[in-house]
Amino acid sequence: MRLLDRRFEKHGSGQVKIKIEDDEDLWQLYNLVFVGDTVRASTFRKVQSKGPTGSVVTNKIRLNLTIRIVNVDFDPQSAIVRYSGKVCSESEHVKMGVHHTLEVSTVGERSSGELTIGKDCWDTVVYQRLEKACDSTQKADVAAVVMEEGMAHVCLITPSMTILKQKIEMPIPRKRRSGATEHDAKLTKFFEAVLRAVTTHVNWGIVKCLLVCSPGFVNQDFLKYAMDQAVKRDMKELLKTKSKWMLAQCSGGYMHCLKEVMMDKAVAARLTDTKATDEAKALDRFHDMMKNDEDRVQYGHKPVFAAAEKQAIEALLVLDTVFRSNSVAKRKQFIQLVEDVQELNGEVHIFSSMHGTGQELSNLNGLAAILRFPCPELNELDSEEEIEDGMPQSGSVVYLDELDDDDLL
């Protein structure tokens, strides 16, 4: 994502113009725009006009429209963000107040790429997300194959989500005492399908590490097959990538097994520059602390907010879905919580709901904290009960006009 222009007014309102460059940017875009914001982009719309004979003619034309958002939807498989709302700027062809849906993608006729986002309040959480999205060093460069005999998932791992590119399923008969010919033939056919998926979906110019994860020796057998085929077929580009392949153990060939791999210390050392690893480390640290000193961890809305009131939070783990709440008051509560923790030099880890680590955090009600000191009295609070809508009790939302010039992009 590239920042093309920005214009901020007093009290935090303003607009930014950005250019979408890849599918990861679409996920960031989904998290930047909320109900009530405005979006201006190039779009298609059917327009009726009178022909020379007086008959009504319908044409599909491209035009720029600004709409005020009433609904946001993201389809990760098709890589499309849809914004539904009412037209709020004058146009020669479309009346004010008419409903319209803008579709943003990186491919096809929707791929204009440039759009302008307007907000009444650019809070610090949203602005920090924009900064990271426009920072090219934040892009992930990891792919993964999670497999077992007869099943494999080929994925791309970005800073914010794990994207399933292809699933391969093939029945593999068991080895029999009389011979393993049929088993070996089916397994070879399966490996060939997985290799074809890898060569199709992995861009070796970007990807620096391919994790091949499986129980037992399936990953080793697949790596040997891939390299043998590369030699036989003179696949020079594939042979050059051998140093990028990393084998890892997991319990099965399902997508959720990837989170086991991300928490492995050897894998974490290899992927030190990815955001996904930072999240996995933070969650692993939370679980370790829960085992060794349970009074220094809390999870759930009420206990964590109570810990923040005591200025006890050393590390905050929060799911990004809370910032997409339709309740403005609730969004502001979580924004304030993040700011209060950062003000006291605490760590803040915002987990993506599209990552395995984020899905695990959702089991803790989407909010958890590692504390500076034990707070056993907070264990009595209900971790399942959510906070009530309303304005925060302390702190305040930091608006952009309060930031120094050095803090801006």
Side-chain angles (χ1 to χ4, degrees), residues 126-135 138 407-409:
V126 174
Y127 194 77
Q128 286 170 5
R129 181 180 281 275
L130 177 65
E131 282 187 312
K132 289 182 179 179
C134 295
D135 181 1
Q138 294 288 327
D407 295 326
L408 298 176
L409 285 172

Side-chain angles (χ1 to χ4, degrees), residues 196-395:
R196 191 161 54 246
V198 169
T199 55
T200 300
H201 298 294
V202 176
N203 183 344
W204 294 109
I206 298 173
V207 170
K208 295 180 181 177
C209 180
L210 173 66
L211 296 171
V212 185
C213 327
S214 77
F217 301 99
V218 179
N219 54 356
Q220 294 182 29
D221 294 341
F222 172 63
L223 175 59
K224 184 178 185 302
Y225 173 84
M227 292 301 116
D228 287 348
Q229 292 301 308
V231 172
K232 288 180 182 179
R233 304 179 197 176
D234 195 27
M235 302 168 69
K236 295 179 181 179
E237 290 300 317
L238 186 61
L239 284 171
K240 291 178 183 178
T241 68
K242 187 174 182 180
S243 62
K244 297 183 178 183
W245 294 54
M246 181 178 186
L247 303 182
Q249 287 290 304
C250 63
S251 58
Y254 294 93
M255 284 277 288
H256 65 80
C257 298
L258 190 58
K259 67 183 180 183
E260 304 169 14
V261 178
M262 300 302 289
M263 291 183 181
D264 183 271
K265 291 182 179 179
V267 174
R270 178 75 177 265
L271 309 180
T272 51
D273 294 331
T274 68
K275 179 176 180 286
T277 306
D278 291 339
E279 292 174 349
K281 286 179 180 177
L283 196 57
D284 202 21
R285 185 179 159 208
F286 174 86
H287 287 307
D288 286 344
M289 186 68 75
M290 180 174 279
K291 292 177 185 176
N292 300 322
D293 191 354
E294 63 178 13
D295 291 336
R296 280 193 59 198
V297 295
Q298 292 295 333
Y299 64 90
H301 292 191
K302 283 208 166 183
V304 172
F305 272 84
E309 288 291 323
K310 293 177 175 290
Q311 300 184 349
I313 296 180
E314 179 179 307
L316 179 69
L317 288 62
V318 57
L319 198 61
D320 59 8
T321 52
V322 301
F323 301 110
R324 295 199 300 271
S325 170
N326 288 333
S327 168
V328 175
K330 183 165 287 188
R331 285 208 305 264
K332 287 187 176 182
Q333 285 177 304
F334 281 97
I335 290 165
Q336 180 190 312
L337 174 65
V338 168
E339 292 172 350
D340 287 348
V341 172
Q342 290 177 332
E343 188 177 342
L344 295 170
N345 297 319
E347 301 174 16
V348 175
H349 300 276
I350 299 179
F351 285 63
S352 168
S353 57
M354 297 287 286
H355 258 308
T357 51
Q359 291 159 15
E360 187 172 347
L361 184 60
S362 69
N363 296 330
L364 301 174
N365 210 12
L367 192 65
I370 299 170
L371 309 184
R372 291 188 170 93
F373 47 83
C375 294
E377 67 278 9
L378 300 182
N379 296 335
E380 303 299 321
L381 297 177
D382 186 358
S383 62
E384 297 295 325
E385 188 176 351
E386 294 192 2
I387 56 170
E388 298 177 0
D389 281 0
M391 293 304 295
Q393 299 299 313
S394 63

